[in-house]
């Protein structure tokens, strides 16, 4: 923050363009903010720290609505804390996105008729770096467009030198603590990406497949097994039955013929088998199914791999060289010709795993991989939430978190890629295995080689909260800004990212949590609540909306939909409405400046103020308190809605309109209201700034002459309340609203003037007669005035001369309909309150609500009856 952040405001400028044009304001303002260092955090500052690290977008990515949504909320949090006097750090950066980025470059090579193998590993990795410099990071520029108040001087990349050192450091520590190991197990294999992927990177969907029942063995030694993957039978090494299944006890321990091969396989008894499901017998293919692998381990079965990395069959002559799906059909045909197909069901709809990146069907495959032993790490991650060191918001999302960390399987961290952090393990000619840390020299000499795999992208991004601050070095940034305060992210990556950061943060930082609060958001959907998808044709580029309506409008729309943990519907109509709100703020401030609104000097005393002035200041302070409470509870939708209604309804639609009469009258009352209006706009613009930063800064600097609202002081609740003034203005509002409704019902134009007699004596409305007449377009009664309609409202009487403008019969008919509805409402409420059984069971709040309905119905009946009496006889 600059040294003159707390400068005294100079005399305000009083001119604004007649219309707000976001394109003329936003880009220039953002560059000014960055140049002046408003977002740069100082680790040496004595201010309390407030830290958020950005969920690093993929280097291949571009800004989508999900990014815009979460970035808006993170920006709002940090902007407010900065204004509250915190040393606020919002740290930006990008993820190297191993598979996605490698795929991009491989596609580029394919267009040149090459593959990565033509280049070799070193040259290919260099090519990826070139791609990253040329095409990567487009999203960073788009973040500026959105208004992200991040500290660009601290931007990080998961493959930069510092983060790479952090990765090597924690790998070595985990390895030495025996929390990283290498083992042959079943993994999820993508035959297109040619790499292992973790369980959480597999998307399951219902696919049409086939279920075939196959007869194994001969004569009395026959079993029938069912499978959706007939091609894997070439790798069967047993058939399993339940040990208590009487049907097969005579076969347990015997060997039976495996169809289409020259092998025999044993029948084993295993409790994993459900005797009630299907035939009660299952084929066991340890190299191609995780459950079968476990059975194989228990019974010492051989594991036979029958497919290569591209899912092409590698065994048994007739099928060798066929793709897995081609082989499936060929094998079923061969079995059918031998009479071994007992039953076939197709289509057979079942859940099938697909690669989340390329959508290829996953192939379970036995493979030698590197793993993290997650047991103790996951327990620590669960304990940190259970004992309150980390809060999950909303709290009901904790169950999903615990479901995951309490049941986590060991994590496969190796990927068969070239782009990424290469596993720092070297193998020697005599079977030596050496893990090399960041400051150590790898072994050299003949026969030594480094592991060819790279680490899962989530391994490095799991270090993000502390690696970005300089760990493993004990930097000033780390001491000042760790642990971070809030992790704000979508509930869909609890498993991918949140749990990883919790495990690694607690491990690397000696039990200190990586963040104090996990604030989980929902996902952005279209206006009908449907998931956004290219296949649905409902994906929206937020940049298009920014071009059309401005960034503030997009931000405010997203924030107004942000209820904790729930999905956010959004449509263009809503963005347009938010643009209208920005225009309203602009026009109201322009009006205020033209009428002398000022922030100079102290506020007048309450005794000098009108009831209208005291009312708006009372409402302003209540709004400040309300907004602060909503921020602390991450209720972005509620705080945005509160600000919208206070600004539009109370400030712009009521206070500004009521002030027009005061300004026209001039004198001391006008001077008081000029200072009050300046105060109200000053505070309102500050409250709005974190969510709509551009228009508020342009207006605030013009209003106050201050340097920037970005570094202005966040408003505090002064404690001023005036309930009497609030009641008085509420009464005034009810009069104006009721008469306006009556005028509209009669078809009168809003600007049409009508003669009226106001009887305000004995009410709090007497001082407001000029305002009432101006807002309702009521001219003084003249000669020949005839009260054709009399409206008793809130103790006052408004008599209107509507000669020649009112249809008395139609008005009686309308009022009679309203009266019937009010009487029905009273009857229903009286019936419930007269029911002893209901009163005995109903909660107090329900009974109170019905009593309120009864009181309202009585009030409506009196009002409508008085209106009917005031109408002339037809």
């Amino acid at each position: 923050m600059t040294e003159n952040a707390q400068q005294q405001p100079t005399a305000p400028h009083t001119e604004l363009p007649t219309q707000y044009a976001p394109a003329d304001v936003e880009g220039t303002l953002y560059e000014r903010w960055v140049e002046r260092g408003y977002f740069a955090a100082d680790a040496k500052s004595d201010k309390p720290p407030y830290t958020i690290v950005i969920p690093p977008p993929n280097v291949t990515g571009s800004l989508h609505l999900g990014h815009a949504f979460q970035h808006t909320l993170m920006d709002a949090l940090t902007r407010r804390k900065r204004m509250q006097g915190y040393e606020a750090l919002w740290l930006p950066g990008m993820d190297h996105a191993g598979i996605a980025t490698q795929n991009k470059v491989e596609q580029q090579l394919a267009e040149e008729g090459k593959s990565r193998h033509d280049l070799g590993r070193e040259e290919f990795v260099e090519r990826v770096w070139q791609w990253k410099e040329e095409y990567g990071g487009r999203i960073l520029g788009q973040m500026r467009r959105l208004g992200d108040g991040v500290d660009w001087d601290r931007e990080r990349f998961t493959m930069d030198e510092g983060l790479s050192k952090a990765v090597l450091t924690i790998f070595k520590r985990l390895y030495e603590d025996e929390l990283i190991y290498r083992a042959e197990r079943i993994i999820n294999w993508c035959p297109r990406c040619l790499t292992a992927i973790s369980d959480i990177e597999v998307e399951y969907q219902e696919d049409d497949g086939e279920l075939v029942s196959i007869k194994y063995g001969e004569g009395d030694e026959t079993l029938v097994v069912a499978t959706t993957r007939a091609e894997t039978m070439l790798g069967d090494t047993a058939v399993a039955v339940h040990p208590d299944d009487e049907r097969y006890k005579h076969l347990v321990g015997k060997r039976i013929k495996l169809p289409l091969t020259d092998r025999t396989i044993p029948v084993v008894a295993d409790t994993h088998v459900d005797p009630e499901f299907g035939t009660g017998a299952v084929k066991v293919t340890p190299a191609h199914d995780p459950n079968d692998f476990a059975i194989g381990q228990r019974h010492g079965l051989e594991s036979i791999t029958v497919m290569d990395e591209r899912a092409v069959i590698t065994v048994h002559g007739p099928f060798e060289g066929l793709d897995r799906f081609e082989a499936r059909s060929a094998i079923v045909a061969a079995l059918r010709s031998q009479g071994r197909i007992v039953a076939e069901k197709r289509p057979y709809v079942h859940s099938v795993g697909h690669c989340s990146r390329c959508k290829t069907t996953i192939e379970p495959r036995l493979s030698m991989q590197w793993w993290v032993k997650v047991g103790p790490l996951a327990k620590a991650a669960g304990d940190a939430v259970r004992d309150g060191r980390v809060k999950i918001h909303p709290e009901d999302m904790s169950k999903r978190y615990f479901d995951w960390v309490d049941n986590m399987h060991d994590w496969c961290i190796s990927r068969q890629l070239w782009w990424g952090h290469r596993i720092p393990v070297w193998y020697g000619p005599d079977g030596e295995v050496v893990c090399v840390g960041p400051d150590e020299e790898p072994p050299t000499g003949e026969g030594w080689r480094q592991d060819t795999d790279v680490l899962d992208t989530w391994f490095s991004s799991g270090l993000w909260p502390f690696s970005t601050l300089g760990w493993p070095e004990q930097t000033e940034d780390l001491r000042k800004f760790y642990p971070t305060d809030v992790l704000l992210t979508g509930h869909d990556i609890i498993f991918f990212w949140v749990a990883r950061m919790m495990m690694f943060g607690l491990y690397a930082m000696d039990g200190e949590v990586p963040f104090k609060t996990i604030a989980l958001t929902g996902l952005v959907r279209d206006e009908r609540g449907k998931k956004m998808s290219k296949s649905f044709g409902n994906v929206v580029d937020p940049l298009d909306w920014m071009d059309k309506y401005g960034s503030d409008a997009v931000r405010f729309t997203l924030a107004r939909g942000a209820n904790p943990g729930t999905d956010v519907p959004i449509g263009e109509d809503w963005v347009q409405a938010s643009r209208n709100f920005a225009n309203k703020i602009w026009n109201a401030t322009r009006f205020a400046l033209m009428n002398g609104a000022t922030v100079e000097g102290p506020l007048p005393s309450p005794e000098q103020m009108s009831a209208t002035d005291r009312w708006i200041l009372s409402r302003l302070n209540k709004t400040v308190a309300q907004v602060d409470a909503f921020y602390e509870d991450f209720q972005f939708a509620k705080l945005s809605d509160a600000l919208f209604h206070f600004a539009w309804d109370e400030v712009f639609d009521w206070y500004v309109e009521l002030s027009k009469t005061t300004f026209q009258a001039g004198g001391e009352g006008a001077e008081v209201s000029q200072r009050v209006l300046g105060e109200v706009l000053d505070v309102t613009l500050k409250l709005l700034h974190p969510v709509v930063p551009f228009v508020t800064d342009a207006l605030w600097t013009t209003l106050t002459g201050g340097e920037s609202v970005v570094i202005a002081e966040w408003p505090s609740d002064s404690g001023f309340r005036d309930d009497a003034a609030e009641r008085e203005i509420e009464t005034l509002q009810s009069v104006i609203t009721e008469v306006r409704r009556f005028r509209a019902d009669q078809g009168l134009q809003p600007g049409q003037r009508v003669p009226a007699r106001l009887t305000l004596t004995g009410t709090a409305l007497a001082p407001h007669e000029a305002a009432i007449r101006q807002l309702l377009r009521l001219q003084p009664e003249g000669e020949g005035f005839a009260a054709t309609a009399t409206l008793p409202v809130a103790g006052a009487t408004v008599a209107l001369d509507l000669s020649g403008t009112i249809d008395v019969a139609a008005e009686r008919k309308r009022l009679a309909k309203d009266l019937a509805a009010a009487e029905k409402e009273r009857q229903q409420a009286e019936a419930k309150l007269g029911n002893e059984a209901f009163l005995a069971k109903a909660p107090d709040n329900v009974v109170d609500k019905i009593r309120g309905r009864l009181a309202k119905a009585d009030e409506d009946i009196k009002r409508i009856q008085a209106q009917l009496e005031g109408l002339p006889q037809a």
Side-chain angles (χ1 to χ4, degrees):
M1 190 175 286
T2 60
E3 293 180 2
N4 57 348
Q6 300 302 322
Q7 66 171 18
Q8 292 299 312
T10 60
H13 306 290
T14 55
E15 293 183 5
L16 282 172
T18 55
Q19 290 185 321
Y20 176 50
D24 296 341
V25 172
E26 293 178 349
T28 304
L29 262 185
Y30 188 83
E31 292 312 314
R32 185 186 305 161
W33 295 337
V34 173
E35 287 167 7
R36 292 180 177 178
Y38 295 159
F39 307 138
D42 182 2
K44 297 179 180 178
S45 163
D46 58 2
K47 295 177 183 178
Y50 183 82
T51 316
I52 294 180
V53 292
I54 205 165
N58 287 354
V59 66
T60 60
S62 60
L63 190 75
H64 56 64
L65 272 175
H67 289 129
F69 171 53
Q70 292 181 1
H71 288 206
T72 293
L73 306 187
M74 285 183 276
D75 196 30
L77 290 172
T78 48
R79 283 179 183 270
R80 172 174 174 261
K81 286 295 183 180
R82 190 176 291 116
M83 294 172 75
Q84 286 182 313
Y86 286 79
E87 197 61 45
L89 170 60
W90 186 20
L91 194 148
M94 290 185 300
D95 190 276
H96 66 278
I99 294 177
T101 309
Q102 179 158 321
N103 282 346
K104 287 278 187 184
V105 179
E106 289 199 78
Q107 288 165 13
Q108 197 178 63
L109 286 173
E111 293 171 3
E112 302 170 14
K114 298 177 183 177
S115 75
R116 60 178 161 130
H117 300 285
D118 294 324
L119 273 64
R121 184 170 191 140
E122 188 174 332
E123 190 177 340
F124 175 79
V125 170
E126 179 58 34
R127 180 72 175 259
V128 180
W129 277 108
Q130 291 172 10
W131 182 93
K132 185 257 181 186
E133 294 304 316
E134 186 172 355
Y135 300 105
R138 178 174 51 157
I139 192 171
L140 299 178
Q142 295 166 341
M143 287 162 54
R144 301 170 89 94
R145 178 75 189 282
L146 185 66
D148 282 11
V150 297
D151 187 344
W152 290 110
D153 292 336
R154 285 182 167 86
E155 180 191 333
R156 303 305 300 268
F157 180 54
T158 49
M159 289 280 286
D160 69 27
E161 183 178 352
L163 270 66
S164 295
K165 181 176 183 180
V167 167
L168 296 177
T169 300
I170 201 162
F171 186 99
K172 171 105 178 179
R173 291 189 186 179
L174 289 164
Y175 180 84
E176 291 180 343
D177 286 344
E178 298 183 350
L179 292 173
I180 282 183
Y181 64 94
R182 192 169 184 243
E184 190 175 44
R185 292 189 179 175
I186 294 287
I187 47 91
N188 302 298
W189 181 265
C190 177
R192 183 194 171 281
C193 296
L194 299 180
T195 182
I197 62 174
S198 65
D199 291 345
I200 53 179
E201 293 170 297
V202 178
E203 293 179 349
Y204 287 91
Q205 65 186 49
E206 297 296 307
D207 285 359
D208 286 346
E210 61 181 0
L211 180 68
V212 293
S213 298
I214 309 168
K215 181 172 64 175
Y216 282 26
E218 302 290 347
D220 293 337
E221 298 181 353
T222 297
L223 298 109
V224 175
V225 300
T227 182
T228 57
R229 300 162 68 216
E231 68 279 7
T232 63
M233 69 166 292
L234 301 176
D236 285 0
T237 55
V239 172
V241 297
H242 194 277
D244 298 331
D245 195 330
E246 294 294 335
R247 293 171 294 176
Y248 303 121
K249 278 197 172 182
H250 67 290
L251 293 177
V252 174
K254 294 186 177 181
R255 300 184 71 86
I256 60 174
K257 180 82 165 51
L258 177 64
L260 304 183
T261 72
D262 56 3
R263 293 191 292 117
T264 60
I265 56 176
V267 177
V268 299
D270 195 281
T271 55
H272 170 76
V273 180
D274 181 359
E276 303 298 323
F277 185 77
T279 65
V282 298
K283 58 191 287 300
V284 181
T285 320
H288 290 278
D289 183 274
N291 293 323
D292 293 3
F293 178 77
I295 293 174
Q297 292 285 292
R298 288 194 288 272
H299 297 277
L301 301 176
E302 183 184 5
S303 295
I304 301 174
T305 300
V306 299
M307 295 178 219
D308 67 10
E309 61 184 9
R310 298 183 185 275
V312 172
I313 302 298
T314 57
V315 298
H316 199 68
F319 311 108
E320 192 171 354
L322 295 179
D323 169 81
R324 55 183 164 164
F325 300 121
E326 296 172 333
R328 182 175 301 172
S329 299
I331 287 171
V332 170
L335 291 167
R336 192 184 297 115
S337 69
Q338 293 184 7
R340 289 194 171 272
I341 300 295
V342 176
E344 297 180 65
K345 183 178 181 180
R346 61 172 65 85
Y348 178 72
V349 179
H350 62 135
S351 181
V352 178
H354 296 259
C355 174
S356 61
R357 290 178 178 83
C358 71
K359 312 309 176 186
T360 301
T361 301
I362 289 303
E363 191 62 45
R365 185 170 188 257
L366 186 63
S367 180
M368 182 67 76
Q369 301 285 345
W370 285 93
W371 304 80
V372 171
K373 184 179 180 182
V374 300
L377 302 174
K379 182 181 184 303
D383 290 346
V385 174
R386 286 189 169 94
D387 64 23
R389 282 175 290 157
V390 176
K391 305 288 186 186
I392 292 181
H393 190 88
E395 191 176 351
D396 58 12
M397 283 283 179
S398 299
K399 182 180 184 302
R400 292 186 65 184
Y401 176 81
F402 291 131
D403 285 346
W404 178 249
V405 298
D406 293 347
N407 299 286
M408 198 183 296
H409 301 297
D410 283 2
W411 172 20
C412 176
I413 56 171
S414 46
R415 298 291 180 267
Q416 290 63 53
L417 304 171
W418 287 356
W419 172 245
H421 295 101
R422 195 165 174 182
I423 288 177
V425 172
W426 271 255
Y427 305 106
D430 298 318
E432 302 96 332
V433 179
V434 177
C435 180
V436 178
D439 300 318
E440 301 171 349
E441 291 294 325
T444 57
E446 187 176 348
W448 282 94
R449 59 183 178 83
Q450 185 178 359
D451 196 297
T452 57
D453 290 349
V454 300
L455 287 163
D456 178 10
T457 296
W458 297 101
F459 189 95
S460 51
S461 58
L463 315 180
W464 192 251
F466 52 93
S467 64
T468 52
L469 297 172
W471 186 91
E473 308 303 327
Q474 292 303 306
T475 63
E476 284 186 334
D477 277 0
L478 195 63
R479 286 190 291 270
K480 176 75 173 180
F481 296 113
Y482 189 91
T484 66
D485 287 87
V486 177
L487 171 71
L488 190 144
T489 191
H491 62 65
D492 56 324
I493 60 171
I494 290 178
F495 322 126
F496 287 95
W497 194 45
V498 177
R500 311 296 193 214
M501 288 188 289
M502 285 285 283
M503 292 191 302
F504 282 167
L506 290 161
Y507 174 80
M509 300 300 292
D510 300 321
E512 195 167 18
V513 298
F515 23 74
K516 300 165 189 172
T517 301
I518 301 169
L520 297 170
T521 69
L523 308 179
V524 179
R525 297 180 177 271
D526 71 12
E527 62 262 49
R528 296 178 180 84
K530 194 172 185 180
K531 181 180 179 181
M532 287 194 176
S533 165
K534 289 180 181 178
S535 60
F536 295 154
N538 62 350
V539 173
V540 173
D541 184 346
L543 295 170
D544 291 341
W545 282 352
M546 289 184 209
D547 289 339
K548 196 170 181 180
Y549 304 110
S551 298
D552 281 335
V554 174
R555 290 171 60 116
F556 193 67
T557 305
L558 290 164
R560 282 194 82 182
N563 290 298
T566 59
D567 290 347
V568 183
I570 184 171
E572 187 167 1
D573 288 351
W574 306 339
V575 185
Q576 186 173 352
S578 295
R579 188 272 312 273
N580 296 343
F581 180 50
N583 289 342
K584 187 79 170 180
I585 302 169
W586 184 272
N587 292 333
T589 306
R590 188 168 177 271
F591 164 84
L593 291 169
M594 291 170 63
N595 284 276
T598 180
V599 297
E600 293 184 2
L603 274 173
S605 67
E607 292 74 25
Q608 295 173 285
M609 297 180 193
S610 68
T612 309
D613 294 328
R614 297 195 305 277
W615 160 72
I616 197 63
L617 288 176
S618 182
R619 290 294 306 127
L620 177 68
N621 278 286
K622 286 182 179 179
T623 301
V624 170
Q626 190 178 36
V627 168
D628 277 334
F630 285 145
Y631 262 114
E632 296 306 313
D633 200 33
F634 303 98
Q635 296 282 358
F636 296 99
K638 290 181 178 179
L639 72 88
S640 299
D641 215 45
L643 284 170
F644 174 85
H645 288 294
F646 173 71
W648 192 307
D649 299 347
E650 299 187 88
V651 179
F652 307 150
D653 277 359
W654 283 107
Y655 185 69
V656 165
E657 291 300 316
L658 291 168
S659 298
K660 288 180 180 178
T661 310
T662 308
F663 293 147
Q664 288 171 2
E668 185 177 334
E671 292 178 3
V672 170
S673 290
Q674 286 168 340
R675 180 64 188 90
V676 171
L677 180 54
E679 180 76 11
V680 170
L681 285 175
D682 175 23
V683 173
T684 301
L685 291 170
K686 288 175 180 176
L687 292 174
L688 283 166
H689 172 71
V691 180
V692 283
F694 294 106
V695 68
T696 51
D697 196 42
L699 293 174
W700 187 86
T701 52
T702 305
L703 172 72
T704 68
E707 181 182 336
S708 173
V709 72
V710 177
I711 51 173
E713 186 176 345
W714 182 254
S716 58
D717 175 8
S718 70
F720 177 78
R721 301 287 190 275
D722 192 325
D723 293 337
E726 289 195 40
R727 287 193 298 271
E728 182 173 328
I729 301 305
E730 284 172 8
T731 302
L732 173 63
Q733 289 171 332
S734 67
V735 170
I736 292 171
T737 300
E738 186 62 32
V739 177
R740 279 176 174 168
R741 188 177 75 167
F742 178 80
R743 287 176 57 113
D745 289 342
Q746 300 310 307
L748 297 178
Q749 296 300 314
Q752 185 175 347
R753 293 195 168 276
V754 178
R757 177 188 299 140
L758 304 184
T759 306
L760 307 175
T761 307
T763 73
L765 299 174
H768 303 286
E769 179 169 354
I772 292 172
R773 286 190 176 276
Q774 180 164 317
L775 291 176
L776 290 173
R777 305 294 188 269
L778 303 179
Q779 63 192 42
E781 55 187 291
E783 290 185 17
F785 176 82
T788 58
T790 303
L791 305 176
V793 188
T797 303
V798 180
L800 304 173
D801 184 351
L802 301 176
S803 303
T805 63
I806 183 171
D807 183 338
V808 175
E811 178 61 10
R812 283 191 176 279
K813 185 175 181 182
R814 182 188 71 81
L815 289 172
K817 183 178 179 182
D818 290 350
L819 182 61
E823 288 174 339
K824 183 178 180 181
E825 174 73 3
R826 180 171 66 181
Q827 289 171 2
Q828 291 175 341
E830 285 177 337
K832 285 193 174 182
L833 293 173
N835 185 334
E836 294 296 334
F838 170 78
L839 293 175
K841 294 180 181 178
D844 290 345
N845 64 317
V846 172
V847 176
D848 289 343
K849 188 174 181 180
I850 294 170
R851 286 181 178 137
R853 282 170 50 191
L854 177 60
K856 176 69 166 50
D858 284 336
E859 182 182 318
D860 287 345
I861 289 167
K862 289 177 183 177
R863 174 179 55 80
I864 296 167
Q865 287 173 338
Q867 287 179 293
L868 282 166
E869 290 171 5
L871 286 174
Q873 296 301 313

